Amino acid sequence: MPETTAPTTELTSQYVTQVANDLERNVKEQERISAEIASLQEQLAAVQHDHTVLLNVQQALGVTQAPAQPAAEAESATVPSPRQKAGTVRGKKPKARTSTAATKTAAPKEPEAKGAGTTKAAQPTLVELIRRHLLELKEPRSAGDISAALDEAHPDRHITTKVVRITLEGLVAKSQAERSKQGRSVFYIAPAPAATSEAEAEPQSADL
């Protein structure tokens, strides 16, 4: 009996050691993968934030996004067509049936693209929102105050102070807004109607 029990105990200890090593490697692998996932999530959040800022800047510059969407939908619409052609070659079916099926599947996507373009085109641009807000102000406001008011009124637009400041400077350059400084702070407001009326009256008096 002692001779048979000795080899079994040695074999058991070997299995125990091997299982313990495998468990240790498994835990380390889980930690490594979890760290990679956390890093990728942080990178994804940063890229998504940059994408939102770029969209706001694009809206501030008055650039519409309508041309970009039909191209993406056109690519998705062209993907099924090679598969249908491949199916017809393998099955050697008549071409008339596959062409009609392709037109039926591609036809419903056109109204969706037009509808998406009209809904987004109906939304006012960031420049229009800021211009309307300036007309409603009774006293100058900073870019941060204007950004907070617009973000509260339009939470789906994700309006940032940086984009609002760039848009306000563009309106100042076009004489569609006035800028004033109080210390280090910069404030903006719509141009006074009296100033524009006086500017229009001066050429008439000069002619008289």
Side-chain angles (χ1 to χ4, degrees):
M1 292 296 293
E3 293 180 358
T4 56
T5 55
T8 55
T9 54
E10 292 179 358
L11 184 61
T12 303
S13 62
Q14 290 178 1
Y15 281 132
V16 169
T17 304
Q18 184 175 356
V19 170
N21 293 333
D22 292 340
L23 285 173
E24 186 177 359
R25 292 194 200 95
N26 192 302
V27 171
K28 290 181 180 179
E29 188 68 14
Q30 290 182 15
E31 293 176 353
R32 182 185 65 81
I33 295 174
S34 300
E36 290 181 358
I37 292 174
S39 177
L40 291 174
Q41 288 178 346
E42 292 178 358
Q43 294 178 10
L44 178 60
V47 172
Q48 289 176 343
H49 180 268
D50 294 341
H51 181 264
T52 302
V53 172
L54 291 174
L55 285 179
N56 292 330
V57 173
Q58 190 179 46
Q59 292 178 358
L61 295 175
V63 180
T64 59
Q65 300 177 359
Q69 291 182 350
E73 292 184 357
E75 292 178 358
S76 62
T78 54
V79 172
S81 58
R83 296 179 182 176
Q84 292 176 356
K85 291 180 180 179
T88 54
V89 173
R90 292 176 183 176
K92 295 182 180 181
K93 295 181 180 180
K95 294 183 179 180
R97 294 181 181 177
T98 55
S99 60
T100 54
T103 53
K104 288 181 180 179
T105 55
K109 294 185 179 180
E110 294 180 356
E112 294 179 0
K114 293 180 181 178
T118 53
T119 53
K120 292 196 174 181
Q123 293 182 357
T125 61
L126 183 60
V127 177
E128 294 176 356
L129 292 178
I130 294 176
R131 192 182 303 162
R132 294 176 189 173
H133 186 72
L134 291 176
L135 292 173
E136 296 174 356
L137 294 178
K138 296 182 180 179
E139 58 183 7
R141 296 289 184 183
S142 64
D145 295 336
I146 296 173
S147 174
L150 293 176
D151 188 49
E152 183 178 359
H154 306 277
D156 56 332
R157 300 292 292 267
H158 302 289
I159 301 172
T160 60
T161 305
K162 182 178 179 180
V163 176
V164 171
R165 186 180 293 109
I166 295 173
T167 307
L168 288 169
E169 292 297 331
L171 292 175
V172 171
K174 297 178 181 178
S175 300
Q176 296 179 0
E178 292 182 354
R179 177 178 56 188
S180 60
K181 287 187 177 182
Q182 295 181 7
R184 295 183 178 180
S185 301
V186 181
F187 298 90
Y188 302 88
I189 197 171
T196 56
S197 61
E198 291 177 0
E200 294 176 355
E202 287 179 359
Q204 296 178 358
S205 62
D207 294 338
L208 294 175

